Amino acid sequence: MKRKIPLLITFLVGVIIIISEFIPHKPFGQISGELEKWYLIIAGFAIILGQLSLFKVNLFKIRHRQKNWQFFILTLLSFILMVSIGIFWGTENHPGIFGNGETISNTIGTKPFDYLFDNVYQNLQATMFSLLAFFIASAAYRAFIARTLESSLLLVAAILVMLGNTSLGSALTGWLPESLKFLHLPRISEFIMKYPTTAGQRAIMIGAAFGIIGSSLRIILGIERSYLGGK
Amino acid sequence: MKKTILMLFLFSASLLFSQDIFFEAVDNPNDDGCAIQLRWDASNISSTKMNIERKDDGGEASLVQKVDKAEGEYMDGEDIKPSIEYVYCFSAWDENDQLIEKVESVVFAKAQWFNSEKISLLILALIITAAILFFIYSAKSGKELYIRKIAGLESIDESVGRATEMGRPILFIPGILDLDDMQTIAGLTILGKVAHKAAEYDAEIIVPVCRSMVLSTAKEVVKEAYLKAGRPDAYNPDSVFYLTDDQFGYVAGVDGIIMREKPAANFLMGAFYAESLILAETGFASGAIQTAGTAMPSQLPFFVVACDYTLIGEELFAASAYLSKEPNQLGSLKGQDLGKALFVILLAIGIVLEISGVHFLKDFLTVY
């Protein structure tokens, strides 16, 4: 019974959603949107579970003085600080339980929550994102070593695309006569991005779409049950 | 009688041709009866002000739209209910504010029981579904099916075994999207298999998640896997934990775990965006054996470069069936292959037809 009820719900909801794609008449046309609202409500409650998990795991590490336990204190303090000031003085357009905190806002120029969001959180986020540039360089260095025919082709294609996207590419091939314009590096770069790359990406997307159809059918029909934790 | 009909016809025709404004209100097709299409052509008159009004079921007229183009169309979807009579009036005034002409059109919005624009989608969906179901049931009846080897999935045993030998944990990341994304569900099904192996080999597994809904599901999946492996005592509820919903906050947290815990095997299975390379490169730097899988075409090159094994697109969704080795699950993979073959044939025919200037197939398959 513990397994059968979730399987039955999955089957019914899956079939209704598929039907609603083809029937605009009420109630089918609205079902998909309504179920999305249900999902959002459940997800809203699930946030509490996430926060409890965050607290539990971090407190455990602090209590048992695990390696680098000081970092976990900082995590919890940051969490408590952001939640508290958000509740007390609100965010940009919403007042908190103590109002809008005009005195603090006049001093720091904005609400405390927004101040921390703009000056701490956004900068930390940008820092993490900027690491990507260095990782791309290191990954590209490994990928562009010409060991086999495939990796050599990759290297050549990458050089053409990179040069074609810079002013150097235009300068190198800008002198070519009109009849040889197809060898102009920006054009070659555009060609590679527009045709072979797009074709490859679409092939992956078509394959993935079939994978999604297959997985969905397995789940709807109850053949695939591992998402319920069982066989 | 014939004379009367002829007179009526001539009278209607004269009325029709005497109008300088063309205006019609028609039901918007293939919807739930909540929209009306309005079309007009007032290019025969010189007007400075035009507008469209609506009378609801004999009630007061209300302005629908001020018209600034002599010819055009507009979709009225505000407070339209099915099976109610709506009277639309198109009025045009001259520069002296004198009414030039007023044209009325009566319409009922109808809710349709079938969206005829999606007929091609329905036919394709039925063919693919039938193919998948056929192969599932033929596999159930004992027919042997050949499925090609997927290196990334074959390596799970190797990765878990390596982690066990080295006495280091296994890190599993089920993507950064929520449970409403199929890639996350596919990732969680693989998590079940990896956790089962980890329980069998007595290896530690760490699953940091970035969505609360994924947290509760992942906990259940890992717990059930340990139960199934006969090791409920080895299950640690804190092995699956929530970090943050924020993309780069999550990356920072996971990178920290990779550098501190130095997992021997990393699994990145699900939906990833810009964080994919940051995670994979950090894992590479830590020396872990890495298996990734995603259906995000823009992130796949990063995984191919930085990971030892990569499940590309459909392979991620095939993982559960492949690992379970159950005939009915493997059958669905064969059905998918047939769907792909059909798609290739349709694409080839479509290319030939389009080059020949025949647009029938493209028009039939296009869903607006």
Side-chain angles (χ1 to χ4, degrees), chain A:
Chain A
M1 205 63 177
K2 196 184 158 196
R3 281 268 186 278
K4 277 183 184 164
I5 291 174
L7 285 175
L8 188 70
I9 294 171
T10 310
F11 177 77
L12 288 175
V13 172
V15 170
I16 289 170
I17 291 284
I18 293 171
I19 289 173
S20 71
E21 185 64 28
F22 300 100
I23 303 176
H25 202 287
K26 277 180 186 172
F28 294 99
Q30 282 77 34
I31 279 179
S32 182
E34 286 299 318
L35 288 175
E36 272 170 28
K37 284 180 196 164
W38 289 18
Y39 176 81
L40 285 177
I41 293 166
I42 297 167
F45 282 102
I47 286 174
I48 300 166
L49 285 179
Q51 290 168 353
L52 284 175
S53 163
L54 185 84
F55 257 89
K56 196 181 160 198
V57 171
N58 283 287
L59 279 175
F60 180 84
K61 285 173 179 169
I62 297 163
R63 199 182 299 143
H64 291 87
R65 294 283 194 276
Q66 285 192 356
K67 199 180 169 190
N68 300 318
W69 60 275
Q70 299 90 339
F71 295 149
F72 305 112
I73 297 179
L74 200 65
T75 306
L76 291 184
L77 283 178
S78 309
F79 178 82
I80 294 165
L81 180 73
M82 286 302 274
V83 170
S84 307
I85 60 172
I87 291 171
F88 294 153
W89 297 291
T91 55
E92 196 175 9
N93 300 317
H94 305 281
I97 52 173
F98 295 156
N100 285 312
E102 277 84 2
T103 323
I104 309 170
S105 301
N106 290 338
T107 317
I108 57 175
T110 177
K111 282 190 175 183
F113 185 91
D114 299 323
Y115 181 82
L116 286 177
F117 188 87
D118 294 338
N119 295 294
V120 180
Y121 173 81
Q122 297 268 45
N123 295 327
L124 288 172
Q125 207 177 31
T127 307
M128 280 312 293
F129 190 40
S130 60
L131 285 177
L132 194 59
F134 301 101
F135 285 132
I136 285 178
S138 65
Y141 176 73
R142 285 203 308 280
F144 298 155
I145 296 170
R147 269 177 297 216
T148 58
L149 177 67
E150 287 89 347
S151 57
S152 307
L153 284 173
L154 185 71
L155 174 65
V156 172
I159 290 170
L160 291 173
V161 171
M162 282 192 283
L163 279 175
N165 281 304
T166 59
S167 51
L168 181 66
S170 297
L172 281 173
T173 51
W175 54 271
L176 284 169
E178 195 61 38
S179 56
L180 292 173
K181 275 287 175 198
F182 65 93
L183 289 175
H184 198 211
L185 274 171
R187 284 200 183 183
I188 294 174
S189 165
E190 193 190 333
F191 173 82
I192 292 172
M193 293 305 287
K194 206 170 172 182
Y195 299 103
T197 309
T198 309
Q201 288 202 341
R202 284 188 185 160
I204 290 169
M205 282 160 76
I206 290 169
F210 279 107
I212 291 172
I213 294 171
S215 298
S216 307
L217 272 177
R218 285 199 297 271
I219 290 171
I220 290 169
L221 297 174
I223 297 167
E224 162 69 69
R225 298 170 185 191
S226 40
Y227 70 100
L228 288 172
K231 190 181 161 185

